[in-house]
Amino acid sequence: MTHSDLSIDLGFCRLKNPVIAASGTFGYGTEFSRFFDLNRLGGFVVKGLYSTPRPGNPPPRLVETASGLINAIGLQGIGVKRFCQEILPQLQDLDTAVIINVCGSHEEEYAAVAEHLDGFEGIAAYELNVSCPNVSTGGSCPALDPEATHRIVSLVKKSCRRPLITKLSPNTGKIIEVAKSAEEAGSDAISLVNTFLAMAIDAKTRRPKLANVLGGLSGPAIKPIALRMVYQVAQEIRIPVIGMGGITTSEDVLEYMIAGASAVEVGTANFVDPEAIPLIIDELDVYCQTHNIERLASLTGTLAPL
Amino acid sequence: MTHSDLSIDLGFCRLKNPVIAASGTFGYGTEFSRFFDLNRLGGFVVKGLYSTPRPGNPPPRLVETASGLINAIGLQGIGVKRFCQEILPQLQDLDTAVIINVCGSHEEEYAAVAEHLDGFEGIAAYELNVSCPNVSTGGSCPALDPEATHRIVSLVKKSCRRPLITKLSPNTGKIIEVAKSAEEAGSDAISLVNTFLAMAIDAKTRRPKLANVLGGLSGPAIKPIALRMVYQVAQEIRIPVIGMGGITTSEDVLEYMIAGASAVEVGTANFVDPEAIPLIIDELDVYCQTHNIERLASLTGTLAPL
Amino acid sequence: MYSAILFRTIFGKTMRKDPQARILHKQNWGDYFILALESPRITSEAHPGQFLMVRVGETSFPLLRRPFSIHAVQDNALEIFFQTTGLGTRQLSLKQEGDRLDILGPLGRGFNLDIEGSTPKAALVGGGRGIAPLYFLSESLRLQGVSATIYYGGRTVEDLPLRKKFLAAGYPLHCSTEDGSYGFKGLITDHLIQDLKQNPADRIYACGPDGMLKRLAEISQEYSIPAELSLEAIMGCGFGACWGCVHRLKKDQEIGWQKICEDGPVFPAEMIIWEKE
Amino acid sequence: MYSAILFRTIFGKTMRKDPQARILHKQNWGDYFILALESPRITSEAHPGQFLMVRVGETSFPLLRRPFSIHAVQDNALEIFFQTTGLGTRQLSLKQEGDRLDILGPLGRGFNLDIEGSTPKAALVGGGRGIAPLYFLSESLRLQGVSATIYYGGRTVEDLPLRKKFLAAGYPLHCSTEDGSYGFKGLITDHLIQDLKQNPADRIYACGPDGMLKRLAEISQEYSIPAELSLEAIMGCGFGACWGCVHRLKKDQEIGWQKICEDGPVFPAEMIIWEKE
Ligand SMILES: Cc1cc2nc3c(=O)[nH]c(=O)nc-3n(C[C@H](O)[C@H](O)[C@H](O)COP(=O)(O)OP(=O)(O)OC[C@H]3O[C@@H](n4cnc5c(N)ncnc54)[C@H](O)[C@@H]3O)c2cc1C
Ligand SMILES: Cc1cc2nc3c(=O)[nH]c(=O)nc-3n(C[C@H](O)[C@H](O)[C@H](O)COP(=O)(O)OP(=O)(O)OC[C@H]3O[C@@H](n4cnc5c(N)ncnc54)[C@H](O)[C@@H]3O)c2cc1C
Ligand SMILES: Cc1cc2nc3c(=O)[nH]c(=O)nc-3n(C[C@H](O)[C@H](O)[C@H](O)COP(=O)(O)O)c2cc1C
Ligand SMILES: Cc1cc2nc3c(=O)[nH]c(=O)nc-3n(C[C@H](O)[C@H](O)[C@H](O)COP(=O)(O)O)c2cc1C
Ligand code: FES
Ligand code: FES
């Protein structure tokens, strides 16, 4: 069987195929090597890293909703230093794009995490998680505001040597402005969306279903909104867009690409089926062959008028 | 069987129970009188009215998504004048709150619609649909912006004699600010949310699934986000909040009330089951009796810490 | 005057929800299924061309009910005939005898059965799953003394599962397939034109894909045979509340987006405005 | 030294997806169900206390898999025993013999079966559906020459559907119900304390509601009987990727939120930090 060309050129980085595992849903990567060869992936983004370890939120941390999942993990993690010591060495021989999700409670922390990572090899890019809730501003995050986003992206871009993907929050009416200001500030790509701020209540106990009260909604429920945002943003910027939100099948990937995404990330679907991404990649290959598509990348931004 | 007290006092208006049929999902009311006695409702909001008839968008106007529905009806309707002549007389003898959803393509049109309605009896309140897409600003709507909302609410409040409910759009990161400015401008209540801007693509044809490309997402998929918005807004304003988004059962109603809503609207569920609202009201009655709740209204804003 | 006949309210505005209609039997050919649903009241009020809105699952995904024509009526039960094309119809096809379905109906305005003349003849044209309402229609026409000829087209022979049912009921039947695997090779509309010469009709009734209906509207004009066409559209509610199901129609001299769930799904051909392809 | 036993990797990191496990048979008592699933490889690798993640539907609602303990193992098949408590378990209970289920397993670390001593005795305490893993455990202990006594508690007699299964297998069985409808009237932990006097145990194994497990942790200390407790938490993935399933645990002298799907669900009582109520 001949294979089609599924590869994607993001400019700063070439991917075998457009399917990247999304941050926070793929652990540090190693969790999934039991299920399939990680080299099959277009790439994967590790769980968000701060400069120091974080304890995370108390449970319950998850609640299911209609076709969705709300999480309030609270970015529990080992911090960038232990990550570079203990985990990164296990990832350095992989032949797939390893992307690090860079977090911070304030602007300097983002830069510090990136600078620390700069000292190590085997990393394809940083995904700047400007949607981290900022404790000092009462839980709001830089990605809600074009200026704050511009400041962080400029600062990190200046202080590190790797390509930057800025990951946007959907909890704003200004997603286009925020994307543009990340582009202006030197971001090499945009990824969207992070989760939608959401909540669930137990009517019997009258208590929130998450200990943290608020959490982030992901999964198929959000796909129509996320797809719209990708479509709008892709029309307004020139750097590549990585789309995500509720992807579970190859058809979903195609929809995001047609809307303007150069690549996609798959999140919640990894929980439901640890083999979701390799299955999707296989389906994309079959799709290209049955539809005589030589280069999958040619689909990006081809939405036709009705 | 004794009944519990399901009544709700919104200050400007008393409802038999907290369940109101949402605008655009209940026609002009008469469509549902074949299924049940409209007097059972807490109230209903008629389809959005502009000053003149509107043709609406070409089909396809609807597309289903995971636990959601995207619509791009385009506010097809007969306009306020024909409504007052042909439909309103059929509604005037009802013993339930008839609320009119007031639309406009610009600020003056909102005021004109309200003024025309002022000349007729049998209306409990106006729901100001500040989430109407504004053609002159490229589809954006006043509800995305606190100042624009303030201007419209002040203008309409000044020029009409009836209580105003301002209906907010969820497509903003500033829902609290918008709600506050509607309150400051004299709104008597806030209702939220309207639909989420969304889209769907047919991967086979590479065409949008809606002729209008973009539409509004409603249904259970959006509930977790809408509930969060209701919770946030209710904590920041003093006027009553009417919550909606994905309500299909009495449990959903209770969740919205616990989050801070004084009353709720039910939208998409009316399509799935024309008898959804009377069933919900019956369930609420049973709930109050089994849980010894004397006044259902006492539940509003009772979210307990976990 | 023709539309005057249609618009007197032939069918009452009765419409009921039956949340517990029991599946009495099930038939299956490939992608095609028949379910017989016990629902005395909806059955007794049903008129050919009307439809049901059926709930296919218990959760909110799929969210909306699905529209299906009333395929047949007998005693206390009505049948639906459907093809699996997506999630909803697939779920419906998994239901078993004895299961219960939540249905709403009868909905819409069906076919106008009044044909003038002493020995009126009708041509019933069904494309693919569009055959569904034509069995109930043929049986009703027979009761009125109208003789019905069935024209039944599909892509291939597998798309004509009901041919034996019509033959067994004694109707003259003309089949066509695009691949020539059964009957006339080509479109059913071409087959109809050929046959109309020997076998003229006083009325065309049809249900099927838009292309077929559009061609029948032309044939109706050319041959001066009034036609009643049943349209499809994505339906949010099925009873006039959502304005989702519109088609461009000429009504009372005005052209606009009209709801097909209430004013239709059946319309006289001359009311229907066809969009450019 | 005790936890050293637990943390040598008793169970390999094998874990498989079986998308087509056939339901061989089904049993039902009220809200409680047993499904036997044919899955040779998962069965051959299963250890008592481990669990499966089961897909209950085809659509994204419900979205996540559901965790169920491995209840029993025989030849090529494993059983799950579950109570319907919400949408997912209700959908699962509708599955029939012959249907296929998509399962992932065996997951987590199960019970530590190493008990020192020449005639070791174990007390197995199950509350409600928490009885599920204890049947597989009792059968495995028997193979190792450990004699197991079963303590089985519920609200009422309907919550004790497995009592005959344990009796038939020849285990000493003590039942309790809160309403006194069967066996000891009161909590199973009180029944256990009473019985321990005549019938001492070298190890407690338990699964059930948090309140019961917390009380057993106290009993374990008071009576100096090591206890292995199986915890529950909402699980996003079941294999360590989401960090959703945490409980406060003491591990390597550090206290923190630890994933119970990987390090557990079974923990020695002394590792578990109980939150205030
Ligand atoms: C008045 C009427 C009568 C009908 N009668 C029959 C019948 O007797 N037998 C039969 O097989 N089919 C009939 N159809 C078409 C049938 O309703 C669709 O095939 C079915 O809704 C598809 O649902 P799905 O979930 O399988 O497909 P999906 O593609 O998953 O459905 C997605 C959405 O699109 C809608 N949809 C998809 N295709 C159509 C279509 N062609 N027409 C209308 N809505 C569509 C669905 O209702 C749903 O809301 C009828 C349609 C209408 C409007
Ligand atoms: C390791 C483990 C083993 C288990 N073994 C069994 C067993 O053998 N038999 C049995 O009957 N039950 C068992 N449970 C509990 C079982 O998983 C839940 O009852 C079930 O997930 C409820 O799903 P639902 O859709 O019916 O309920 P819903 O309330 O609709 O579920 C909503 C969400 O909450 C989760 N959830 C709800 N209750 C629980 C709970 N008590 N524990 C964990 N997650 C929950 C569900 O998985 C789902 O994600 C086990 C749980 C765990 C963690
Ligand atoms: C449990 C969980 C944890 C997540 N953690 C992170 C994170 O650390 N950093 C980040 O940028 N996004 C995080 N996300 C967001 C996802 O990367 C993704 O943006 C979002 O879930 C939408 O995609 P999906 O619908 O495919 O899941 C997390 C999502 C989930 C469900
Ligand atoms: C088909 C349709 C038409 C709608 N038309 C209007 C409208 O005219 N005016 C308005 O304010 N909201 C309109 N809405 C929004 C609903 O009133 C409601 O805010 C939204 O659907 C969320 O509630 P739900 O999830 O219960 O449907 C419409 C929604 C739908 C689905
Ligand atoms: S389907 Fe809702 S108006 Fe026709
Ligand atoms: S359930 Fe996902 S980490 Fe434990």
Side-chain angles (χ1 to χ4, degrees), chain A residues 63-64, chain D residues 51 62 64-71 80-90 129-130 132-133 230-235 260 265:
Chain A
V63 50
E64 274 189 73
Chain D
F51 64 98
L64 301 173
R65 288 171 189 263
R66 299 292 188 258
F68 298 102
S69 302
I70 298 169
H71 168 59
I80 58 174
F81 168 76
F82 65 94
Q83 183 181 16
T84 51
T85 56
L87 179 64
T89 45
R90 230 162 31 235
R129 63 173 187 237
S230 181
L231 297 176
E232 274 190 15
I234 298 182
M235 291 190 169
I260 74 164

Side-chain angles (χ1 to χ4, degrees), chain B residues 208-284:
Chain B
K209 285 191 177 171
L210 294 171
N212 194 50
V213 186
L214 302 183
L217 182 67
S218 64
I222 68 169
K223 197 189 96 182
I225 320 177
L227 186 66
R228 180 267 296 178
M229 290 179 167
V230 166
Y231 171 70
Q232 289 184 319
V233 165
Q235 287 176 308
E236 300 285 340
I237 62 175
R238 261 163 306 196
I239 53 177
V241 170
I242 301 172
M244 80 194 87
I247 294 177
T248 59
T249 66
S250 58
E251 223 173 292
D252 296 329
V253 174
L254 296 169
E255 290 176 38
Y256 273 95
M257 292 185 72
I258 293 164
S262 298
V264 299
E265 294 183 25
V266 173
T268 306
N270 295 311
F271 301 156
V272 181
D273 189 345
E275 294 171 9
I277 298 182
L279 285 171
I280 288 173
I281 295 168
D282 287 344
E283 282 173 22
L284 286 173

